[in-house]
Amino acid sequence: RAVATAGTRFNYKQLQEAILLQRDENWLFQACIKIHSVVLQKGLSYKRLFNQWRDKQSKTQPGRLTENELAQGLKKLKAGLTGDEIEKMCGSLQYDGKDTAIAAADFEHEVKEGARKLETARSFERMIL
């Protein structure tokens, strides 16, 4: 059975996949809101957190974390994320450079952007309903 939307037709399987994709994205965006809320509540900066979370024997440049260091840091942040959520979030990020790490500024941008996208989606849903 097809569902028509603004001139586009979807079969049931395509609609179901779109809903699951949206649910996955919303989960990621909700994780971003949780992280950013805790950072703001504690009056911290992402740069300061990255310096605290960086392993003492780390080969990364200051202000950058590997995927494992970031995962361990997010556990310490206690933002209400499960281990699975932390793993999925860390796995969704881009790590680059010779040290295969992410910079505090890049992580902050990703978190804020994710939080903004969820707020925009929620506003849009309220407008439609």
Side-chain angles (χ1 to χ4, degrees):
R1 183 172 151 142
V3 178
T5 344
T8 307
R9 295 179 62 82
F10 290 99
N11 65 32
Y12 180 75
K13 184 176 181 194
Q14 289 170 322
L15 181 61
Q16 189 177 27
E17 287 173 3
I19 290 169
L20 291 175
L21 177 64
Q22 183 65 35
R23 189 181 309 147
D24 260 3
E25 286 181 352
N26 282 345
W27 165 85
L28 184 59
F29 301 154
Q30 288 171 357
C32 290
I33 285 177
K34 288 177 182 179
I35 292 166
H36 194 59
S37 295
V38 170
V39 169
L40 290 176
Q41 286 171 359
K42 292 184 177 184
L44 300 168
S45 72
Y46 288 86
K47 185 177 179 179
R48 182 174 177 199
L49 283 173
F50 269 47
N51 289 334
Q52 290 175 0
W53 295 347
R54 190 167 174 262
D55 190 309
K56 304 230 185 300
Q57 284 81 36
S58 182
K59 295 184 186 338
T60 62
Q61 297 173 352
R64 294 175 57 83
L65 295 177
T66 63
E67 184 175 347
N68 188 47
E69 289 171 325
L70 180 60
Q72 294 305 314
L74 288 173
K75 288 176 186 173
K76 292 176 190 173
L77 186 62
K78 296 185 177 164
L81 300 174
T82 66
D84 186 47
E85 291 171 328
I86 290 170
E87 185 179 314
K88 281 173 63 178
M89 172 158 211
C90 291
S92 73
L93 297 169
Q94 179 103 13
Y95 301 89
D96 57 14
K98 290 180 183 177
D99 54 3
T100 316
I102 188 168
D106 294 336
F107 180 69
E108 179 177 9
H109 173 77
E110 291 292 324
V111 168
K112 287 180 176 178
E113 188 64 19
R116 185 192 62 74
K117 284 180 181 177
L118 182 61
E119 289 304 315
T120 301
R122 284 181 176 166
S123 299
F124 185 69
E125 286 173 9
R126 282 192 295 269
M127 198 170 67
I128 289 175
L129 296 175

